[in-house]
Amino acid sequence: MTPTLLGRIQSRTFVVCTAALLWTLLLTPLLPMGFMPLSDAYRATLTALFLVLLLGIVLWEPLYHFLQQFRWEKDWPAMFTLIEGVPEGWLVYLVLTGILGLDVPVGSYVLHFATAWLIVFGCLHGPMRVLFLRWRFRGGRVI
């Protein structure tokens, strides 16, 4: 599959709003957030997830799509998709703690982000291809 920009955005939105959201709702009460109330822990993890979606649509997906145009097959190897999580996670943490001023323990954030990223990666390389049979042939578009 050679994903289109719209396909990448739709795929990211769908998987983050389904699998990653469900994972975040289940994982948040189990994260070691110190003495943070559960409502604040949910605010931090859901805000991080929203930032992944927002920054992904506005910044990362257009950048990745641009960079893919220099590759012969116009697509990433799966390993690149995993590595994308490093700068994305770093930027989301900076925005979360620096700009928004949320006090999130680094270990809890890394655990949440890394596991959510692996779930998103797994969904994009597994269930998405089963649930949406024509997804690959429409450039990654869900709709």
Side-chain angles (χ1 to χ4, degrees):
M1 168 185 74
T2 303
T4 63
L5 180 57
L6 181 60
R8 291 181 62 90
I9 290 171
Q10 284 184 11
S11 295
R12 176 184 287 256
T13 302
F14 179 77
V15 176
V16 167
C17 289
T18 55
L21 178 61
L22 179 61
W23 176 249
T24 298
L25 293 174
L26 293 172
L27 180 67
T28 299
L30 306 173
L31 287 173
M33 298 292 250
F35 295 105
M36 183 182 292
L38 188 57
S39 60
D40 289 345
Y42 271 114
R43 182 178 305 115
T45 56
L46 292 174
T47 302
L49 196 61
F50 174 74
L51 288 172
V52 168
L53 182 61
L54 179 67
L55 292 173
I57 291 171
V58 173
L59 174 67
W60 296 114
E61 292 301 343
L63 176 64
Y64 298 147
H65 185 74
F66 172 75
L67 292 174
Q68 286 175 350
Q69 302 313 303
F70 296 103
R71 292 188 45 83
W72 175 262
E73 62 278 347
K74 309 280 191 253
D75 198 2
W76 288 136
M79 189 59 151
F80 282 19
T81 305
L82 279 175
I83 294 171
E84 286 174 10
V86 175
E88 287 197 34
W90 178 75
L91 182 62
V92 167
Y93 188 75
L94 287 179
V95 171
L96 200 62
T97 58
I99 295 174
L100 299 179
L102 295 175
D103 186 26
V104 182
V106 176
S108 296
Y109 172 77
V110 169
L111 179 64
H112 169 246
F113 184 85
T115 56
W117 192 263
L118 288 173
I119 287 172
V120 166
F121 174 79
C123 286
L124 287 173
H125 288 85
M128 285 290 287
R129 296 171 189 220
V130 173
L131 295 174
F132 302 99
L133 296 176
R134 305 294 300 165
W135 174 75
R136 298 182 21 207
F137 304 108
R138 292 186 297 177
R141 288 181 291 127
V142 178
I143 299 173

